[in-house]
Amino acid sequence: MTDWHRTDITAGDVRLATYQYGDTVHSDTAADARPAVVLVHGWPDTHHLWDRIAPRLAEHYRVFAYDTRGFGESDRPNDVPSYRLAGLAQDLFAVISSVTDGGSAHVVAHDWGSVQTWEAVTTPGAETSISSFTSVSGPNLDFLGEWARAQLASPTPRSISRALSQVASSAYTGFFQIPGVSDAFFRTLGTEKLWTEFLHVIEGTPRENVSFAPTLREDMISGLKLYRANIRGKLARPEPRPTSVPVLEVVNDRDIALRPAIYDRTYTHAAKLWRKSSTTGHWLPYTNPDYLATTAIEFIDSIENGTSRAPNTIDRARQLGAPLALTGKLAVITGAGSGIGRETAYALAALGCEVVLADIDTAAADETATECKSMGVLTNVYELDVSKTAAVNEFAENIRTRHGVPDIVVNNAGIGLGGSALDASDDQIDRLIDINLRGVISGSRAFAKQMVARGTGGHIVNLASAAAFTPSRELGLYSASKAGVLMFSESLRAELATHRIGVSAICPGIVNTNITSATEYAGVDDQDAMRRKVTGFYEKRNYTPDKVAREIVAAVVSNKAVVPVTPEAKFGYRVYRFVPWASRIAARQKLTG
């Protein structure tokens, strides 16, 4: 791109091609008081990796990049020892000193650029040169070696599985260690066309997003020295050092080379650590540059000013101990003032989620919020009537503006309606459908649009019911509303699969919540007596909503499609699928006497 302006610097005996993005060249830095950001690429890229990110960053900061040694227009030492991390870290310090006139800079780095920046930030005194570090798809090799040893020191099925998963993901590095073979491979196949197709097939990277230097083949080959100079020594004899530089780890759950588990011990060495994860792949700067640019801007602003531009997604990403399963995620729960919604809020908060609690009864939601806040997570309460589509759409936009796009949405709000379908009033039917079905559809659509636009996945949970597949003469209308939720969820799951957005339909059976105390019964004269009777039965059954919440969390983590909850729901689901005639016969029985 023509907006990169080159100036060469010298680091030791290596010449480094250094670039500034935009109209201002290095001589003008004294007049530009904006913070400096240095971008560091990995293998087999050059500074062009940042072509789609630099313009966004340049709206707020002075933006620099450089071709690391062995790549692009920088020098290419022939010997392997020249590519050891200690020397690469000194290269970074030299670039920062040059472009800031001896000042400091924020660093955003990817792949081997991140690996060498980790070496730099764990160098004593690094905090005087590096203001913050956004790490993408590149671990500290000493931390990685320590993690691997910990998995094998006290082997369990889980630790062995995690270690083997990472070994399988990193198997290619063994091939890269063989000079003659791997060099010949890339000399033959290291073309821009093939590499573009590789990224497109493996990660879905838009072909138009990639930006390679004319030196791609040479970069691939000389860059192999990074693997030969560092991996075996670091993993065999790890020497982890601490850092006080603020670090944001951007963890890609679908990274083909690096499993998320390898970052679990970073907190033991990084005193100021944040962590954001998403269902993205290794080459995030190419695949979703807007997301990475936004994330980096929010983090840098938070370090510079103590807060970031709204919406603030960084505060919830602060990691104060071992990472929880959902650290840094934002969850929205409707009907959060009681029952399943309340317990789901508790369960998600316990796993590190910031929670947004919505309910028509804000006093009840405030009670839920008190417990969530006691777990140390950010919590906000909103009044919401899910039966009103315009209100749901306005709510979703408010959440996006104030808190960011949710990672998890739980459409839980619902009501009951029993009795004869023939005796129900039109108003009762309208209210039932508006809340139970239309409310779920509205919430799913509003937030799914945001998730698709963001491009980093997400998960939507819709509360259906065992009634969705258990016909009953006394629950026909309620069953219809929940069957609609189930089929809508299954269909939406198919629609959103290409965007890596999961959709789960949760189908509880008889669960002891307060829905029974507010349920109306069409054709029944003594409503209170019927409610007492049904509520008493549910209380005797005593299947508590916290058990449903655990199933909801499991569905999010494992991306389950349909989740029957309670033994009767699981039994009914199988009966309806395999012997539906038995369900039809059972449906004729009168349950309430």
Side-chain angles (χ1 to χ4, degrees):
M1 296 179 66
T2 56
D3 286 333
W4 288 111
H5 301 278
R6 176 178 169 181
T7 302
D8 290 354
I9 72 163
T10 300
D13 57 356
V14 176
R15 178 186 53 82
L16 299 173
T18 305
Y19 302 84
Q20 181 169 1
Y21 185 87
D23 296 331
T24 306
V25 295
H26 292 172
S27 59
D28 296 325
T29 56
D32 190 343
R34 294 179 302 166
V37 177
V38 173
L39 308 174
V40 191
H41 69 84
W43 181 93
D45 301 298
T46 64
H47 72 283
H48 287 298
L49 172 75
W50 308 105
D51 282 354
R52 291 179 177 271
I53 293 175
R56 285 284 312 279
L57 298 180
E59 295 172 8
H60 311 286
Y61 319 113
R62 292 179 287 130
V63 178
F64 305 90
Y66 67 105
D67 293 342
T68 64
R69 63 171 69 191
F71 294 86
E73 299 303 318
S74 293
D75 285 347
R76 301 172 186 271
N78 291 321
D79 61 309
V80 170
S82 291
Y83 292 83
R84 288 177 180 154
L85 288 176
L88 295 169
Q90 293 306 313
D91 289 352
L92 174 57
F93 286 128
V95 170
I96 292 174
S97 178
S98 174
V99 301
T100 64
D101 294 329
S104 65
H106 301 271
V107 178
V108 181
H110 174 257
D111 189 73
W112 272 99
S114 180
V115 174
Q116 58 193 276
T117 304
W118 269 116
E119 183 75 11
V121 298
T122 56
T123 300
E127 64 276 4
T128 63
S129 298
I130 301 177
S131 303
S132 76
F133 170 32
T134 300
S135 168
V136 187
S137 299
N140 180 298
L141 292 186
D142 292 297
F143 299 174
L144 177 58
E146 180 187 55
W147 174 87
R149 290 189 170 198
Q151 303 308 301
L152 301 176
S154 301
T156 64
R158 181 170 181 264
S159 67
I160 292 172
S161 173
R162 296 170 88 185
L164 290 176
S165 176
Q166 181 54 52
V167 168
S169 296
S170 301
Y172 70 94
T173 63
F175 173 68
F176 285 6
Q177 301 286 332
I178 310 172
V181 178
S182 55
D183 289 6
F185 176 85
F186 287 108
R187 189 169 290 111
T188 303
L189 300 176
T191 67
E192 180 174 333
K193 181 178 181 180
L194 288 175
W195 191 241
T196 299
E197 287 305 308
F198 172 80
L199 296 180
H200 179 71
V201 171
I202 294 298
E203 298 205 359
T205 303
R207 295 181 179 89
E208 65 274 12
N209 277 15
V210 297
S211 302
F212 302 128
T215 54
L216 176 63
R217 180 182 277 107
E218 292 81 0
D219 298 336
M220 286 180 165
I221 296 170
S222 63
L224 295 175
K225 296 182 178 70
L226 292 170
Y227 296 85
R228 298 163 192 166
N230 297 293
I231 289 182
R232 284 176 292 180
K234 286 286 188 180
L235 297 186
R237 297 177 299 279
E239 297 178 352
R241 300 174 305 197
T243 180
S244 60
V245 173
V247 178
L248 169 63
E249 282 189 321
V250 180
V251 179
N252 301 303
D253 293 341
R254 293 180 49 253
D255 196 317
I256 62 172
L258 302 164
R259 308 310 305 145
I262 69 172
Y263 303 105
D264 284 356
R265 292 180 60 86
T266 304
Y267 78 96
T268 62
H269 303 293
K272 303 173 184 177
L273 181 64
W274 288 254
R275 174 173 173 149
K276 286 190 70 174
S277 61
S278 60
T279 56
T280 45
H282 186 82
W283 270 276
L284 187 62
Y286 284 146
T287 304
N288 201 322
D290 286 342
Y291 169 73
L292 179 53
T294 297
T295 298
I297 289 168
E298 290 176 349
F299 182 56
I300 293 168
D301 278 1
S302 71
I303 301 303
E304 284 287 324
N305 308 316
T307 185
S308 63
R309 294 172 172 83
N312 185 358
T313 69
I314 292 300
D315 284 350
R316 62 174 170 265
R318 184 68 188 267
Q319 190 175 329
L320 300 176
L324 300 171
L326 299 174
T327 292
K329 301 290 188 182
L330 173 64
V332 174
I333 306 106
T334 67
S338 62
I340 294 171
R342 171 173 286 182
E343 294 296 335
T344 300
Y346 293 164
L348 292 171
L351 293 176
C353 277
E354 175 183 351
V355 290
V356 170
L357 312 177
D359 203 294
I360 198 168
D361 182 353
T362 54
D366 283 335
E367 293 178 6
T368 305
T370 299
E371 179 67 20
C372 291
K373 290 176 182 176
S374 73
M375 301 180 199
V377 301
L378 298 172
T379 307
N380 288 275
V381 172
Y382 290 83
E383 182 178 358
L384 177 65
D385 181 351
V386 299
S387 70
K388 303 183 184 303
T389 300
V392 172
N393 290 335
E394 182 181 357
F395 168 70
E397 182 58 26
N398 285 339
I399 299 307
R400 187 191 67 79
T401 302
R402 298 173 185 175
H403 306 283
V405 178
D407 302 288
I408 301 165
V409 173
V410 182
N411 292 303
N412 164 73
I415 62 171
L417 178 62
S420 167
L422 304 184
D423 290 334
S425 69
D426 289 341
D427 287 344
Q428 286 177 318
I429 295 171
D430 288 344
R431 183 166 180 265
L432 178 77
I433 298 301
D434 285 346
I435 294 175
N436 285 13
L437 180 56
R438 186 57 192 259
V440 168
I441 292 173
S442 299
S444 297
R445 293 179 70 242
F447 286 112
K449 290 175 183 178
Q450 295 180 6
M451 292 177 179
V452 169
R454 180 181 60 180
T456 57
H459 204 96
I460 296 171
V461 176
N462 293 330
L463 266 292
S465 169
F469 44 74
T470 309
S472 167
R473 61 180 290 171
E474 295 176 325
L475 289 173
L477 294 169
Y478 179 76
S479 295
S481 71
K482 293 301 187 177
V485 170
L486 175 58
M487 186 51 65
F488 170 71
S489 300
E490 291 260 51
S491 301
L492 187 65
R493 180 181 177 88
E495 179 180 350
L496 298 179
T498 56
H499 300 285
R500 304 195 181 279
I501 300 170
V503 181
S504 298
I506 310 298
C507 303
I510 300 171
V511 179
N512 185 16
T513 70
N514 62 1
I515 190 173
T516 56
S517 64
T519 296
E520 296 181 359
Y521 296 89
V524 175
D525 292 331
D526 193 339
Q527 293 284 318
D528 289 340
M530 179 61 75
R531 287 174 184 143
R532 285 194 298 270
K533 181 177 182 179
V534 175
T535 299
F537 173 72
Y538 275 60
E539 288 175 347
K540 289 178 182 178
R541 174 68 175 84
N542 199 30
Y543 194 98
T544 52
D546 59 301
K547 297 177 181 178
V548 183
R550 287 198 292 270
E551 295 281 2
I552 289 173
V553 170
V556 171
V557 173
S558 302
N559 190 21
K560 296 180 181 178
V562 179
V563 184
V565 184
T566 72
E568 65 272 13
K570 295 174 183 178
F571 177 76
Y573 187 54
R574 285 158 179 79
V575 169
Y576 190 73
R577 290 181 65 190
F578 300 114
V579 282
W581 56 267
S583 292
R584 298 184 191 112
I585 293 173
R588 300 172 188 173
Q589 306 306 309
K590 195 169 183 180
L591 302 178
T592 55

